[in-house]
Amino acid sequence: MSDVRHVLVLPDRGAAEEVVEALRERFGLDEEPQVVRDALAGEDDAEDAQWLVVLRDERERLDPVALDEFAGEWEGWREEP
């Protein structure tokens, strides 16, 4: 198995949490995605943070283009590795 990961970047925590729920339903994930707060450089305010949803894809079955389009539904994107 490989250690493929996908990172979805979302504008806020609410969107990230909604994405986690929707990912399970739409893509039938085997493993719970991780939600991580990513503060922008030099910013302490929670408003100046992006939220990341990290998905492990060991079987390499998730389509990167489909994930990017999916994240776009919440004004986010898939970060290229």
Side-chain angles (χ1 to χ4, degrees):
M1 286 192 197
S2 67
D3 189 29
V4 174
R5 294 178 194 265
H6 300 281
V7 177
L8 306 183
V9 182
L10 287 301
D12 57 56
R13 184 179 186 159
E17 290 172 348
E18 287 179 27
V19 162
V20 168
E21 290 299 318
L23 279 167
R24 282 191 226 129
E25 292 173 17
R26 191 175 301 181
F27 295 97
L29 301 178
D30 297 331
E31 192 172 312
E32 179 80 15
Q34 290 181 287
V35 176
V36 180
R37 180 180 179 269
D38 183 32
L40 301 177
E43 299 294 336
D44 294 327
D45 188 359
E47 295 297 319
D48 295 319
Q50 295 173 328
W51 288 82
L52 310 178
V53 175
V54 181
L55 307 146
R56 288 181 56 192
D57 186 19
E58 293 176 349
R59 296 182 187 149
E60 298 184 45
R61 64 181 187 87
L62 298 173
D63 177 22
V65 174
L67 287 172
D68 191 37
E69 291 172 0
F70 174 80
E73 295 174 23
W74 283 270
E75 299 181 15
W77 67 90
R78 187 185 69 83
E79 189 71 29
E80 288 291 331

